[in-house]
Amino acid sequence: MALRKLSGDSDCKSGTCPTLWETEDNTAFLVQGYVVTDPEQLAQIDLPQGESVVRVPVNILEDYFRARRN
């Protein structure tokens, strides 16, 4: 299934820049972000096995949604 890049730094060379993709069938978003490792934060989230949490800076999603409104 093809992905469409919606936001993110096109100049990112290290592969760790927050980026947002949309699936070809428009049923899901994929988010590349910074893995959350803080035990206090993770303890507040009831994660099912196999799932993880990533941190995405607010400006990444703000830029995306602002562009979609225009």
Side-chain angles (χ1 to χ4, degrees):
M1 176 178 300
L3 298 176
R4 182 170 69 103
K5 186 175 181 180
L6 300 175
S7 70
D9 184 354
S10 59
D11 236 4
C12 181
K13 303 292 185 219
S14 66
T16 59
C17 298
T19 306
L20 179 66
W21 289 273
E22 183 175 36
T23 58
E24 183 176 43
D25 62 2
N26 300 316
T27 61
F29 293 105
L30 301 180
V31 178
Q32 174 187 351
Y34 303 100
V35 176
V36 175
T37 57
D38 182 307
E40 280 188 43
Q41 290 179 342
L42 291 173
Q44 298 175 57
I45 303 169
D46 186 20
L47 283 180
Q49 186 164 349
E51 291 188 7
S52 60
V53 176
V54 297
R55 180 181 314 278
V56 178
V58 170
N59 67 310
I60 297 296
L61 295 178
E62 282 180 337
D63 292 347
Y64 166 70
F65 287 113
R66 188 176 302 113
R68 293 229 10 174
R69 279 187 239 137
N70 295 328

Coordinates of all heavy atoms in Angstrom, one line a residue:
M1 N 0.8 -1.2 0.0 CA 0.0 0.0 0.0 C 0.9 1.2 0.0 O 1.8 1.4 0.8 CB -0.9 0.0 1.2 CG -1.7 1.2 1.4 SD -2.9 1.2 2.8 CE -3.9 -0.2 2.4
A2 N 0.6 2.1 -0.9 CA 1.4 3.4 -1.0 C 1.1 4.3 0.1 O -0.1 4.4 0.6 CB 1.2 4.0 -2.4
L3 N 2.1 5.1 0.5 CA 1.9 6.2 1.5 C 2.1 7.5 0.8 O 2.9 7.7 -0.1 CB 2.9 6.0 2.6 CG 2.8 4.7 3.4 CD1 3.9 4.7 4.5 CD2 1.5 4.6 4.1
R4 N 1.4 8.5 1.4 CA 1.5 9.9 0.9 C 2.0 10.7 2.0 O 1.4 10.8 3.1 CB 0.2 10.4 0.4 CG 0.3 11.8 -0.2 CD -1.0 12.2 -0.9 NE -2.1 12.4 0.1 CZ -2.5 13.6 0.5 NH1 -2.0 14.7 0.0 NH2 -3.5 13.6 1.4
K5 N 3.2 11.3 1.8 CA 3.8 12.1 2.9 C 3.0 13.4 3.0 O 2.8 14.2 2.0 CB 5.3 12.4 2.5 CG 6.0 13.2 3.6 CD 7.5 13.3 3.3 CE 8.2 14.0 4.4 NZ 9.7 14.1 4.0
L6 N 2.6 13.7 4.2 CA 1.8 14.9 4.4 C 2.6 16.1 5.0 O 2.3 17.2 4.7 CB 0.6 14.6 5.4 CG -0.4 13.5 4.8 CD1 -1.4 13.2 5.9 CD2 -1.0 13.9 3.5
S7 N 3.5 15.8 5.9 CA 4.3 16.8 6.5 C 5.6 16.2 7.0 O 5.7 15.0 7.2 CB 3.5 17.4 7.7 OG 3.4 16.5 8.8
G8 N 6.5 17.1 7.3 CA 7.8 16.7 7.8 C 8.9 17.4 7.0 O 8.7 18.0 6.0
D9 N 10.1 17.4 7.6 CA 11.2 18.1 7.1 C 11.8 17.3 5.9 O 12.4 16.2 6.1 CB 12.2 18.3 8.2 CG 13.4 19.2 7.7 OD1 13.5 19.5 6.5 OD2 14.3 19.5 8.6
S10 N 11.7 17.8 4.7 CA 12.3 17.1 3.6 C 13.8 17.0 3.6 O 14.4 16.3 2.9 CB 11.8 17.7 2.3 OG 12.2 19.1 2.2
D11 N 14.4 17.9 4.4 CA 15.8 17.9 4.5 C 16.4 17.0 5.6 O 17.6 17.0 5.9 CB 16.3 19.3 4.8 CG 17.3 19.9 3.8 OD1 17.5 19.2 2.8 OD2 17.7 21.0 4.0
C12 N 15.5 16.3 6.3 CA 15.9 15.4 7.4 C 16.9 14.3 6.9 O 16.4 13.5 6.1 CB 14.7 14.8 8.1 SG 15.1 13.8 9.5
K13 N 18.1 14.3 7.3 CA 19.0 13.3 6.9 C 19.2 12.1 7.9 O 19.6 11.0 7.5 CB 20.4 13.9 6.7 CG 20.4 15.0 5.7 CD 20.1 14.6 4.3 CE 20.2 15.8 3.4 NZ 19.3 15.8 2.3
S14 N 18.8 12.3 9.1 CA 19.1 11.3 10.2 C 17.9 10.3 10.3 O 18.1 9.3 11.0 CB 19.3 12.0 11.5 OG 18.1 12.6 11.9
G15 N 16.8 10.6 9.7 CA 15.7 9.7 9.8 C 14.9 9.8 11.0 O 14.0 8.9 11.3
T16 N 15.1 10.8 11.8 CA 14.4 10.9 13.1 C 13.5 12.1 13.2 O 13.0 12.4 14.2 CB 15.4 11.0 14.3 OG1 16.3 12.1 14.1 CG2 16.2 9.7 14.4
C17 N 13.3 12.8 12.1 CA 12.4 14.0 12.0 C 11.0 13.5 12.1 O 10.6 12.5 11.5 CB 12.6 14.8 10.8 SG 14.3 15.4 10.6
P18 N 10.1 14.2 12.9 CA 8.7 13.8 12.9 C 8.1 14.0 11.6 O 8.3 15.0 10.9 CB 8.1 14.8 13.9 CG 9.3 15.3 14.8 CD 10.4 15.2 13.9
T19 N 7.4 13.0 11.1 CA 6.8 13.1 9.8 C 5.4 12.4 9.9 O 5.2 11.4 10.6 CB 7.7 12.3 8.8 OG1 9.0 12.9 8.8 CG2 7.2 12.5 7.3
L20 N 4.5 12.9 9.0 CA 3.1 12.3 9.0 C 2.9 11.8 7.6 O 3.1 12.5 6.6 CB 2.1 13.4 9.4 CG 0.7 13.1 9.4 CD1 0.4 12.0 10.5 CD2 -0.2 14.3 9.6
W21 N 2.3 10.6 7.5 CA 2.0 10.0 6.2 C 0.5 9.6 6.3 O 0.0 9.3 7.3 CB 2.8 8.7 5.9 CG 4.2 8.9 5.6 CD1 4.7 9.2 4.3 CD2 5.3 8.8 6.4 NE1 6.1 9.3 4.4 CE2 6.5 9.1 5.7 CE3 5.4 8.6 7.8 CZ2 7.7 9.0 6.3 CZ3 6.6 8.6 8.4 CH2 7.8 8.8 7.6
E22 N -0.1 9.5 5.1 CA -1.5 9.0 5.0 C -1.5 7.8 4.1 O -0.8 7.7 3.1 CB -2.4 10.1 4.3 CG -3.8 9.8 4.2 CD -4.6 10.9 3.7 OE1 -4.1 11.7 2.8 OE2 -5.8 11.1 4.1
T23 N -2.3 6.8 4.5 CA -2.4 5.6 3.7 C -3.1 5.9 2.4 O -4.0 6.8 2.3 CB -3.0 4.4 4.4 OG1 -4.4 4.8 4.8 CG2 -2.2 4.0 5.6
E24 N -2.8 5.1 1.4 CA -3.4 5.2 0.0 C -4.9 5.2 0.1 O -5.6 5.9 -0.7 CB -2.8 4.1 -0.9 CG -3.3 4.2 -2.3 CD -2.6 3.1 -3.1 OE1 -2.5 2.0 -2.6 OE2 -2.2 3.4 -4.2
D25 N -5.5 4.3 0.9 CA -6.9 4.2 1.0 C -7.6 5.2 2.0 O -8.8 5.1 2.3 CB -7.3 2.7 1.4 CG -6.8 2.3 2.7 OD1 -6.1 3.1 3.4 OD2 -7.0 1.1 3.1
N26 N -6.8 6.1 2.5 CA -7.3 7.1 3.4 C -7.9 6.6 4.7 O -8.8 7.2 5.2 CB -8.3 8.1 2.7 CG -7.7 8.8 1.5 OD1 -6.6 9.2 1.6 ND2 -8.4 8.8 0.4
T27 N -7.5 5.5 5.2 CA -8.1 4.9 6.4 C -7.2 5.1 7.6 O -7.6 4.8 8.7 CB -8.3 3.4 6.2 OG1 -7.1 2.7 5.9 CG2 -9.3 3.1 5.1
A28 N -6.0 5.6 7.4 CA -5.1 5.7 8.6 C -4.0 6.7 8.3 O -3.6 7.0 7.2 CB -4.5 4.3 8.9
F29 N -3.4 7.2 9.4 CA -2.2 8.0 9.3 C -1.0 7.2 10.0 O -1.3 6.5 11.0 CB -2.4 9.3 10.1 CG -3.3 10.2 9.5 CD1 -4.6 10.4 10.1 CD2 -3.0 10.9 8.3 CE1 -5.5 11.2 9.5 CE2 -4.0 11.8 7.8 CZ -5.2 12.0 8.4
L30 N 0.1 7.4 9.5 CA 1.4 6.8 10.1 C 2.2 8.0 10.6 O 2.3 9.0 9.9 CB 2.2 6.0 9.1 CG 1.4 4.8 8.5 CD1 2.4 4.1 7.5 CD2 0.9 3.8 9.5
V31 N 2.7 7.9 11.8 CA 3.4 9.0 12.4 C 4.8 8.5 12.7 O 5.0 7.5 13.4 CB 2.7 9.5 13.7 CG1 3.6 10.6 14.3 CG2 1.3 10.0 13.4
Q32 N 5.8 9.2 12.3 CA 7.2 9.0 12.7 C 7.5 10.0 13.7 O 7.3 11.2 13.5 CB 8.2 9.1 11.5 CG 9.6 9.0 11.9 CD 10.6 9.3 10.8 OE1 10.1 9.5 9.6 NE2 11.8 9.5 11.1
G33 N 7.9 9.6 14.9 CA 8.2 10.6 15.9 C 9.3 10.1 16.8 O 10.0 9.1 16.5
Y34 N 9.4 10.7 18.0 CA 10.5 10.4 18.9 C 9.9 9.4 19.9 O 8.8 9.7 20.6 CB 11.0 11.7 19.6 CG 11.5 12.7 18.6 CD1 10.7 13.8 18.2 CD2 12.7 12.5 18.0 CE1 11.2 14.7 17.3 CE2 13.2 13.4 17.1 CZ 12.4 14.5 16.7 OH 12.9 15.4 15.8
V35 N 10.5 8.3 20.1 CA 10.0 7.3 21.1 C 9.9 7.8 22.5 O 10.9 8.4 23.0 CB 10.8 6.0 21.0 CG1 10.4 5.0 22.0 CG2 10.8 5.4 19.6
V36 N 8.8 7.6 23.1 CA 8.6 8.0 24.5 C 9.2 6.9 25.4 O 8.8 5.8 25.3 CB 7.1 8.3 24.8 CG1 6.9 8.6 26.3 CG2 6.6 9.4 24.0
T37 N 10.1 7.3 26.3 CA 10.7 6.3 27.2 C 10.5 6.7 28.6 O 10.9 6.0 29.5 CB 12.2 6.2 26.9 OG1 12.9 7.5 27.0 CG2 12.5 5.6 25.5
D38 N 9.9 7.9 28.9 CA 9.7 8.3 30.2 C 8.8 7.4 31.0 O 7.6 7.3 30.6 CB 9.1 9.8 30.2 CG 8.9 10.4 31.6 OD1 8.3 9.7 32.4 OD2 9.4 11.5 31.8
P39 N 9.2 6.7 32.0 CA 8.4 5.7 32.7 C 7.1 6.4 33.3 O 6.1 5.7 33.3 CB 9.3 5.2 33.8 CG 10.7 5.6 33.5 CD 10.6 6.8 32.6
E40 N 7.2 7.6 33.8 CA 6.0 8.3 34.4 C 4.9 8.5 33.3 O 3.8 8.3 33.6 CB 6.4 9.6 35.0 CG 7.0 9.5 36.4 CD 7.2 10.9 37.0 OE1 6.3 11.7 36.9 OE2 8.3 11.1 37.6
Q41 N 5.3 8.9 32.1 CA 4.4 9.2 31.1 C 3.8 7.8 30.6 O 2.6 7.7 30.4 CB 5.0 9.9 29.9 CG 5.3 11.3 30.2 CD 6.0 12.1 29.1 OE1 6.5 11.5 28.2 NE2 6.0 13.4 29.1
L42 N 4.7 6.8 30.4 CA 4.2 5.5 29.9 C 3.2 4.9 30.9 O 2.3 4.1 30.5 CB 5.4 4.6 29.6 CG 6.2 5.1 28.4 CD1 7.4 4.2 28.2 CD2 5.4 5.0 27.1
A43 N 3.5 5.1 32.2 CA 2.6 4.5 33.2 C 1.2 5.0 33.2 O 0.2 4.4 33.6 CB 3.2 4.7 34.6
Q44 N 1.0 6.2 32.6 CA -0.3 6.8 32.5 C -1.1 6.3 31.3 O -2.3 6.7 31.1 CB -0.2 8.3 32.4 CG 0.4 8.9 33.7 CD 0.7 10.4 33.5 OE1 -0.3 11.1 33.2 NE2 1.9 10.8 33.7
I45 N -0.4 5.5 30.4 CA -1.1 5.1 29.2 C -1.2 3.5 29.2 O -0.2 2.9 29.5 CB -0.2 5.5 28.0 CG1 0.0 7.0 27.9 CG2 -0.8 5.0 26.7 CD1 1.0 7.5 27.0
D46 N -2.3 3.0 29.0 CA -2.5 1.6 29.0 C -2.3 1.0 27.6 O -3.3 0.9 26.8 CB -4.0 1.3 29.5 CG -4.2 -0.2 29.7 OD1 -3.2 -1.0 29.8 OD2 -5.4 -0.6 29.7
L47 N -1.1 0.8 27.3 CA -0.7 0.3 25.9 C -0.9 -1.2 25.7 O -0.4 -2.0 26.5 CB 0.7 0.6 25.6 CG 1.1 2.0 25.3 CD1 2.6 2.1 25.0 CD2 0.4 2.6 24.1
P48 N -1.6 -1.6 24.7 CA -1.7 -3.0 24.4 C -0.3 -3.5 23.9 O 0.5 -2.7 23.4 CB -2.7 -3.0 23.2 CG -3.5 -1.8 23.3 CD -2.5 -0.8 23.9
Q49 N -0.1 -4.7 24.1 CA 1.2 -5.3 23.6 C 1.4 -5.1 22.1 O 0.4 -5.2 21.3 CB 1.2 -6.8 23.9 CG 2.6 -7.4 23.6 CD 2.8 -8.8 24.2 OE1 2.0 -9.2 25.0 NE2 3.8 -9.4 23.8
G50 N 2.6 -4.7 21.7 CA 2.9 -4.5 20.3 C 2.7 -3.0 19.9 O 3.1 -2.6 18.8
E51 N 2.2 -2.2 20.8 CA 2.0 -0.7 20.5 C 3.1 0.1 21.2 O 3.6 -0.4 22.2 CB 0.6 -0.2 20.9 CG -0.5 -0.8 20.0 CD -1.8 -0.1 20.3 OE1 -1.8 0.9 21.1 OE2 -2.8 -0.6 19.8
S52 N 3.4 1.2 20.6 CA 4.4 2.1 21.2 C 3.8 3.5 21.1 O 2.8 3.8 20.5 CB 5.7 2.0 20.5 OG 5.6 2.4 19.2
V53 N 4.4 4.4 21.8 CA 4.0 5.8 21.9 C 5.2 6.6 21.3 O 6.4 6.4 21.6 CB 3.7 6.3 23.3 CG1 3.4 7.8 23.3 CG2 2.6 5.5 23.9
V54 N 4.9 7.6 20.4 CA 5.9 8.5 19.9 C 5.4 9.9 20.2 O 4.2 10.2 20.3 CB 6.1 8.3 18.4 CG1 6.7 7.0 18.1 CG2 4.9 8.6 17.6
R55 N 6.4 10.8 20.3 CA 6.1 12.2 20.6 C 6.3 12.9 19.3 O 7.3 12.8 18.6 CB 7.2 12.7 21.6 CG 7.0 14.2 21.9 CD 8.1 14.6 22.9 NE 8.2 13.7 24.1 CZ 7.5 13.7 25.1 NH1 6.5 14.5 25.3 NH2 7.7 12.8 26.1
V56 N 5.3 13.8 19.0 CA 5.4 14.6 17.7 C 5.2 16.0 18.2 O 4.2 16.4 18.8 CB 4.2 14.2 16.8 CG1 4.2 15.1 15.5 CG2 4.4 12.7 16.4
P57 N 6.2 16.9 17.9 CA 6.0 18.3 18.3 C 4.7 18.9 17.7 O 4.3 18.6 16.5 CB 7.3 18.9 17.6 CG 8.3 17.8 17.6 CD 7.4 16.6 17.2
V58 N 4.1 19.8 18.4 CA 2.8 20.4 18.1 C 2.9 21.0 16.7 O 2.0 20.9 15.9 CB 2.4 21.4 19.1 CG1 1.2 22.2 18.7 CG2 2.0 20.6 20.4
N59 N 4.0 21.7 16.4 CA 4.1 22.5 15.2 C 4.0 21.6 13.9 O 3.5 22.1 12.9 CB 5.4 23.3 15.1 CG 6.6 22.5 15.1 OD1 6.8 21.6 15.8 ND2 7.5 22.8 14.2
I60 N 4.4 20.4 14.0 CA 4.3 19.5 12.9 C 2.9 19.3 12.5 O 2.5 19.4 11.3 CB 5.0 18.1 13.2 CG1 6.5 18.3 13.4 CG2 4.8 17.1 12.0 CD1 7.3 18.8 12.3
L61 N 2.0 18.9 13.4 CA 0.6 18.7 13.1 C -0.1 20.0 12.9 O -1.0 20.1 12.0 CB -0.1 17.9 14.3 CG 0.5 16.5 14.4 CD1 -0.2 15.8 15.6 CD2 0.3 15.7 13.2
E62 N 0.3 21.1 13.6 CA -0.4 22.4 13.3 C -0.2 22.8 11.8 O -1.1 23.3 11.2 CB 0.2 23.5 14.2 CG -0.3 23.5 15.6 CD 0.3 24.6 16.5 OE1 1.4 25.0 16.2 OE2 -0.4 24.9 17.5
D63 N 1.1 22.7 11.4 CA 1.4 23.0 10.0 C 0.5 22.2 9.0 O 0.0 22.7 8.0 CB 2.9 22.8 9.7 CG 3.8 23.8 10.4 OD1 3.3 24.8 11.0 OD2 5.0 23.5 10.4
Y64 N 0.4 20.9 9.3 CA -0.4 20.0 8.4 C -1.8 20.4 8.4 O -2.4 20.6 7.3 CB -0.2 18.6 8.9 CG -1.3 17.7 8.2 CD1 -1.2 17.4 6.9 CD2 -2.4 17.2 8.9 CE1 -2.1 16.6 6.2 CE2 -3.3 16.4 8.3 CZ -3.2 16.1 7.0 OH -4.2 15.4 6.4
F65 N -2.4 20.6 9.6 CA -3.9 20.9 9.6 C -4.1 22.3 9.1 O -5.2 22.6 8.5 CB -4.4 20.7 11.0 CG -4.6 19.2 11.3 CD1 -3.8 18.7 12.3 CD2 -5.5 18.5 10.6 CE1 -3.9 17.3 12.6 CE2 -5.6 17.1 10.8 CZ -4.8 16.5 11.8
R66 N -3.2 23.3 9.3 CA -3.4 24.6 8.7 C -3.4 24.5 7.2 O -4.2 25.2 6.6 CB -2.3 25.5 9.2 CG -2.5 27.0 8.9 CD -1.4 27.9 9.5 NE -1.3 27.8 10.9 CZ -0.2 27.3 11.6 NH1 0.8 26.8 10.9 NH2 -0.2 27.2 12.9
A67 N -2.5 23.8 6.6 CA -2.4 23.6 5.2 C -3.7 23.0 4.6 O -4.2 23.3 3.5 CB -1.2 22.8 4.8
R68 N -4.3 22.0 5.4 CA -5.5 21.4 4.9 C -6.7 22.3 4.9 O -7.6 22.1 4.1 CB -5.8 20.1 5.8 CG -4.7 19.1 5.6 CD -5.1 17.7 5.3 NE -6.4 17.3 5.0 CZ -6.6 16.0 4.7 NH1 -5.6 15.2 4.6 NH2 -7.8 15.6 4.4
R69 N -6.7 23.3 5.8 CA -7.9 24.2 5.8 C -7.9 25.2 4.7 O -8.9 25.7 4.3 CB -7.8 25.0 7.1 CG -8.4 24.2 8.3 CD -8.5 25.1 9.5 NE -7.7 24.5 10.5 CZ -6.8 25.1 11.3 NH1 -6.7 26.4 11.3 NH2 -6.2 24.4 12.2
N70 N -6.7 25.4 4.1 CA -6.6 26.4 3.0 C -6.9 25.8 1.7 O -6.9 24.7 1.3 CB -5.2 27.0 3.0 CG -5.0 27.8 4.2 OD1 -5.9 28.4 4.8 ND2 -3.8 27.9 4.7

